[in-house]
Amino acid sequence: MDLQVHSERQNDTGRLRSSAPARPVFAALDLGTNNCRLLIARPIPGGFRVIDAFSRIVRLGEGLTRNDRLSVSAMERTLAALKICGSKIERRGVTAVRAVATEACRRARNCNEFIDAVERETGIAIEIISSQEEGRLALAGCASLLDPNVPYAVVFDIGGGSTELMWLAVERGRPPRILDQTSIQCGVIGLTEQFGGADADRGMYRRMVEEVASAIASFEARNGIRERTLAGQVQMLGTSGTVTTLAGVHLGLCRYDRRAVDGSFLRIDHARAVIERLVALDFDGRARHPCIGQDRADLVIAGCAVLDALCDCWPVERLRIADRGLREGILVELIGSARQIY
């Protein structure tokens, strides 16, 4: 998969200028519990080239754990972000788009009226997908980072409202095969609202880890992953903001750099050293870090707790980091299904 970023220039009238012949343009939109993210790309041999992107923390699922409804303020923030996405989709001449929503919209009792408002005001038709489809698409976007020489893999995505887990068989020359998958109700927004994030102390942090450990126990019990992990047969791949943040902090980046993070390896002892530093900081200290920022300074501790629990259960030596996932999986499938037209 080719993820090189290409920025197209505009003339004074705002119309795109390009000497290349017209080709299909694809868009993938991921509306999560915490983030609204868009990728727009053109196909190239062996993959695609991103020509536009957008990402904004909208916290659509804020307060959802209390009443199972999307709040007015969360919907307004999200709608404002989606209007920007709609403008980009129109301006780039997108020929095929798939927009999906995940855990917040799966859980919210008022999600249908929100989805209707989005289509009415932005023209974007959002599809609420199952946790199984969410995991499958995320895997399609990051499977190329799996090591074919290691026979099994745990792939996880720590989201705002849930964490998706997949247990895979990996064989050289074949796509990875999903042996089992689950979605646990341990996302960074829900855990932060339940246990605290802005003022989390070590006691709160350990309770979050225990909550996640309890949630994954049945998944471990029915698959026996720990035994294979101790035998050195399991690799772990994470595709979430938590793991990319930890990698960026460990690398000492002055600003987040996807090229340095995507596909990198993070030793678990190094990850835990970073976690120790972050838990020891207060909200302002975390907010000042260039790989975290004000918008995620409270949520990052919950994400760390999820990762800590996963690594306690499945003690791999290192973690592969993916700054790619659901959106890239959507693009791969859109391009594949339309391949005959170009």
Side-chain angles (χ1 to χ4, degrees):
M1 186 189 325
D2 191 319
L3 299 181
Q4 56 185 304
V5 177
H6 172 66
S7 298
E8 294 190 340
R9 300 184 63 184
Q10 295 177 290
N11 61 22
D12 292 340
T13 65
R15 299 176 63 184
L16 291 175
R17 184 171 60 193
S18 174
S19 58
R23 288 176 293 168
V25 181
F26 300 92
L29 190 149
D30 170 16
L31 179 58
T33 304
N34 192 43
N35 290 281
C36 174
R37 294 177 289 193
L38 172 74
L39 279 183
I40 300 176
R42 286 199 177 100
I44 60 174
F48 56 83
R49 176 175 297 152
V50 174
I51 61 171
D52 209 343
F54 174 79
S55 179
R56 178 175 292 179
I57 293 176
V58 295
R59 299 201 184 203
L60 178 61
E62 188 175 61
L64 188 61
T65 55
R66 291 189 291 272
N67 57 19
D68 290 329
R69 293 182 64 86
L70 303 174
S71 70
V72 172
S73 58
M75 289 189 287
E76 289 176 346
R77 287 194 302 267
T78 305
L79 187 57
L82 288 168
K83 286 179 178 178
I84 296 173
C85 293
S87 296
K88 285 179 173 288
I89 289 168
E90 182 178 6
R91 185 168 61 88
R92 289 291 185 179
V94 169
T95 54
V97 60
R98 187 179 185 190
V100 303
T102 56
E103 185 64 18
C105 287
R106 286 196 291 262
R107 290 178 59 185
R109 290 182 294 165
N110 59 339
C111 67
N112 288 336
E113 58 194 76
F114 172 65
I115 295 297
D116 290 343
V118 168
E119 185 166 10
R120 186 169 60 248
E121 298 193 34
T122 71
I124 299 172
I126 294 180
E127 169 191 0
I128 303 173
I129 59 173
S130 68
S131 59
Q132 290 77 17
E133 176 72 352
E134 180 182 358
R136 189 188 67 79
L137 288 169
L139 177 61
C142 66
S144 62
L145 294 177
L146 292 170
D147 183 348
N149 296 310
V150 181
Y152 297 97
V154 172
V155 177
F156 65 89
D157 183 357
I158 305 170
S162 64
T163 293
E164 311 306 319
L165 290 168
M166 284 172 286
W167 171 232
L168 310 175
V170 181
E171 302 173 59
R172 182 177 293 277
R174 296 183 178 182
R177 181 164 48 93
I178 298 176
L179 300 174
D180 195 5
Q181 67 183 115
T182 192
S183 178
I184 60 170
Q185 301 298 304
C186 295
V188 297
I189 290 182
L191 288 172
T192 298
E193 291 180 348
Q194 182 179 355
F195 294 97
D199 303 311
D201 57 24
R202 293 187 185 279
M204 291 179 183
Y205 179 77
R206 288 314 307 172
R207 287 195 291 276
M208 282 192 275
V209 173
E210 290 166 4
E211 179 84 2
V212 179
S214 176
I216 64 175
S218 61
F219 188 70
E220 158 57 25
R222 67 177 181 254
N223 290 297
I225 301 170
R226 182 177 179 84
E227 182 178 355
R228 294 190 183 278
T229 304
L230 294 172
Q233 297 178 323
V234 178
Q235 58 188 301
M236 190 177 285
L237 171 63
T239 168
S240 70
T242 295
V243 297
T244 57
T245 296
L246 290 178
V249 173
H250 171 67
L251 291 170
L253 301 179
C254 295
R255 57 177 295 180
Y256 183 78
D257 182 354
R258 181 190 178 279
R259 294 170 298 178
V261 170
D262 183 51
S264 66
F265 288 94
L266 178 62
R267 280 174 38 183
I268 300 306
D269 58 340
H270 290 165
R272 285 187 157 139
V274 172
I275 290 171
E276 282 289 316
R277 288 165 49 196
L278 296 182
V279 172
L281 291 173
D282 60 11
F283 177 89
D284 291 336
R286 295 192 296 271
R288 284 194 293 270
H289 196 286
C291 291
I292 299 175
Q294 187 86 14
D295 288 338
R296 300 183 66 246
D298 56 341
L299 304 178
V300 69
I301 297 301
C304 290
V306 176
L307 177 62
D308 225 347
L310 299 184
C311 294
D312 279 345
C313 189
W314 305 309
V316 295
E317 292 186 1
R318 63 179 187 172
L319 170 69
R320 191 86 193 263
I321 308 294
D323 189 348
R324 62 179 82 180
L326 194 153
R327 292 175 302 165
E328 289 80 2
I330 290 173
L331 287 174
V332 166
E333 294 195 348
L334 284 176
I335 291 169
S337 64
R339 186 69 71 177
Q340 68 272 15
I341 69 172
Y342 62 88

